[in-house]
C-alpha cells in the first residue's frame, strides 16, 4: 500500500495541520469583522441567493471539484449538493477507509461554529471594505479546519485496526459513550492544546533583525484564540467524526 497510516503518522499529520490552521487564523485576523461578507441581504449577486462568503465558497468548491480536490478522501466539501464531477485524470488514492466514511460530512456544524463562535473571537469589529479578500481568508481557514476535523476518520480507522477486539463490541452495541471513552487520550489532548497556543504565540510575533525586540511587538492575534478553538471545537468535533466513523465500521 502506497500510503500507510499508523497512529504515529496520523498524529504527525495532525501536528502539521496545526501550522496551516494557525497561519489561516493569522490571515483572517488581518481583516476586521467585515460583517457585510456574511450578510445575505448585502450581497445581491445576480443569479445567486446567499452571502458573499457562501458565494465564494460554493463557486471555489465547484472549480476545485472539477480539478479533482474531492477525489482525495481527506477532503470534504461544505456544499456537497450539486457539486460537479472531477474532470481530470484520477489518482489512485489509497482505499484505507471503510466505505461508510464517504457518508460522514459534518461541515454544517463546522460552518456554524466558524461564523457564530470563532469569528467573533478572532476578528476585531470594523469594516474596511475588503469583503472578497475576507471571504477568501475564510475559505482557506474553513478548509483547513474541516480537513483537520474529518481527519478523525483516519485516526479512527487506525485505532480500530490496532484493537478491533476492543472496538467491535462497542460498535455492535452502538455504545457512543463507550467508544468516546476508548478513543480519548486526555494527555494527548492537553499536549495538543499547549503546543497550539505556543505555535500561535511564535508564528504570530513580529520578527525583526534586532533580537532584543523579538517577541516584544504586538502579536498578530490572540494566541489563546487558537487553543480555545482547539479545546472547544476542533478536538470535540474530531472525536465526533471518530465516533460516527466507528459506528459505520462494522456492518
Ligand atoms: O491523537 C489521537 O488519538 C486523536 O484521536 C486526536 C485527538 C485530537 O483531536 O487532537 C482526539 C482525541 C484524543 O483524545 C486525542 C487527540
Amino acid at each position: 500500500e502506497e500510503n500507510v497510516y499508523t497512529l504515529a503518522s496520523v498524529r504527525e499529520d495532525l501536528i502539521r495541520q496545526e501550522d496551516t490552521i494557525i497561519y489561516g487564523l493569522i490571515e483572517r485576523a488581518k481583516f476586521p469583522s467585515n460583517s457585510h461578507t456574511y450578510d445575505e441581504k448585502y450581497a445581491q449577486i445576480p443569479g445567486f441567493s446567499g452571502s458573499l462568503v457562501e458565494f465564494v465558497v460554493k463557486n471555489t468548491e465547484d472549480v476545485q471539484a472539477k480539478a479533482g480536490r474531492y477525489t482525495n478522501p481527506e477532503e470534504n466539501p461544505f456544499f456537497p449538493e450539486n457539486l460537479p464531477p472531477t474532470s481530470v485524470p484520477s489518482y489512485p488514492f489509497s482505499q484505507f477507509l471503510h466505505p461508510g466514511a464517504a457518508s460522514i460530512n459534518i461541515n454544517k456544524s463546522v460552518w456554524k461554529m466558524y461564523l457564530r463562535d470563532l469569528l467573533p473571537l478572532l476578528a476585531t469589529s470594523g469594516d474596511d471594505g475588503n469583503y472578497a479578500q475576507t471571504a477568501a481568508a475564510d475559505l482557506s481557514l474553513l478548509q483547513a479546519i474541516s480537513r483537520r476535523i474529518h481527519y478523525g476518520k483516519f485516526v479512527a480507522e487506525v485505532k480500530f485496526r490496532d484493537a478491533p477486539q476492543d472496538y467491535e463490541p462497542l460498535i455492535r452495541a452502538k455504545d457512543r459513550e463507550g467508544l468516546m471513552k476508548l478513543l480519548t487520550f486526555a494527555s494527548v489532548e492537553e499536549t495538543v492544546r499547549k503546543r497550539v497556543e505556543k505555535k500561535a504565540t511564535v508564528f504570530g510575533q513580529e520578527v525583526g533583525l534586532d533580537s532584543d525586540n523579538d517577541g516584544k511587538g504586538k502579536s498578530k492575534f490572540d494566541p489563546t484564540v487558537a487553543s480555545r478553538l482547539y479545546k472547544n471545537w476542533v478536538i470535540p468535533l474530531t472525536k465526533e467524526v471518530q465516533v460516527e466513523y466507528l459506528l459505520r465500521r462494522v456492518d
Side-chain angles (χ1 to χ4, degrees):
E1 214 171 351
E2 162 91 9
N3 226 337
V4 193
Y5 296 88
T6 64
L7 189 55
S9 79
V10 294
R11 282 183 174 155
E12 248 172 59
D13 204 306
L14 290 177
I15 290 172
R16 178 60 184 83
Q17 292 185 49
E18 291 165 3
D19 302 2
T20 311
I21 290 174
I22 292 163
Y23 289 125
L25 291 169
I26 291 172
E27 288 306 291
R28 179 58 187 84
K30 200 166 67 175
F31 300 106
S33 48
N34 283 339
S35 64
H36 283 330
T37 313
Y38 314 97
D39 182 356
E40 295 189 9
K41 288 186 289 289
Y42 175 82
Q44 310 272 358
I45 299 161
F48 184 85
S49 82
S51 63
L52 235 134
V53 69
E54 284 168 337
F55 179 75
V56 168
V57 173
K58 263 191 195 152
N59 283 284
T60 308
E61 285 191 340
D62 249 50
V63 172
Q64 295 189 341
K66 287 181 194 154
R69 183 179 184 110
Y70 302 105
T71 60
N72 183 337
E74 295 177 9
E75 299 286 348
N76 298 268
F78 283 88
F79 299 100
E81 309 82 16
N82 308 316
L83 217 51
T86 170
S87 20
V88 299
S90 65
Y91 177 89
F93 288 105
S94 91
Q95 298 302 308
F96 180 73
L97 299 178
H98 188 270
S103 67
I104 301 169
N105 181 334
I106 65 162
N107 275 334
K108 294 265 178 296
S109 309
V110 176
W111 182 273
K112 256 190 233 146
M113 174 281 286
Y114 184 85
L115 293 184
R116 188 190 56 199
D117 303 314
L118 180 60
L119 276 185
L121 292 178
L122 184 63
T124 56
S125 68
D127 184 330
D128 69 1
N130 289 312
Y131 313 133
Q133 297 87 326
T134 299
D138 288 325
L139 169 68
S140 349
L141 180 50
L142 277 163
Q143 286 182 328
I145 293 172
S146 166
R147 186 184 171 90
R148 198 291 180 187
I149 287 168
H150 289 94
Y151 207 72
K153 298 178 191 180
F154 293 84
V155 182
E157 177 62 22
V158 161
K159 288 179 180 171
F160 179 89
R161 290 193 193 192
D162 284 348
Q165 69 288 355
D166 297 338
Y167 281 97
E168 266 164 11
L170 296 171
I171 293 168
R172 288 222 178 74
K174 299 187 172 36
D175 182 352
R176 286 172 179 272
E177 236 174 276
L179 286 168
M180 191 58 96
K181 225 169 138 185
L182 188 57
L183 63 80
T184 295
F185 295 81
S187 69
V188 175
E189 291 184 23
E190 195 191 333
T191 306
V192 170
R193 288 197 305 268
K194 287 186 174 158
R195 186 181 48 240
V196 162
E197 191 165 320
K198 182 172 179 186
K199 282 185 181 177
T201 307
V202 173
F203 299 170
Q205 78 191 8
E206 217 54 65
V207 176
L209 291 180
D210 176 0
S211 56
D212 284 352
N213 286 328
D214 272 358
K216 298 224 174 96
K218 196 164 138 279
S219 175
K220 296 188 181 83
F221 78 113
D222 172 4
T224 70
V225 171
S227 49
R228 279 183 280 166
L229 166 65
Y230 265 74
K231 176 176 191 283
N232 297 334
W233 303 297
V234 169
I235 294 175
L237 290 172
T238 305
K239 291 164 77 168
E240 192 180 314
V241 166
Q242 293 187 55
V243 171
E244 290 304 319
Y245 178 84
L246 289 164
L247 289 172
R248 290 166 176 75
R249 183 62 179 75
V250 171
D251 19 37

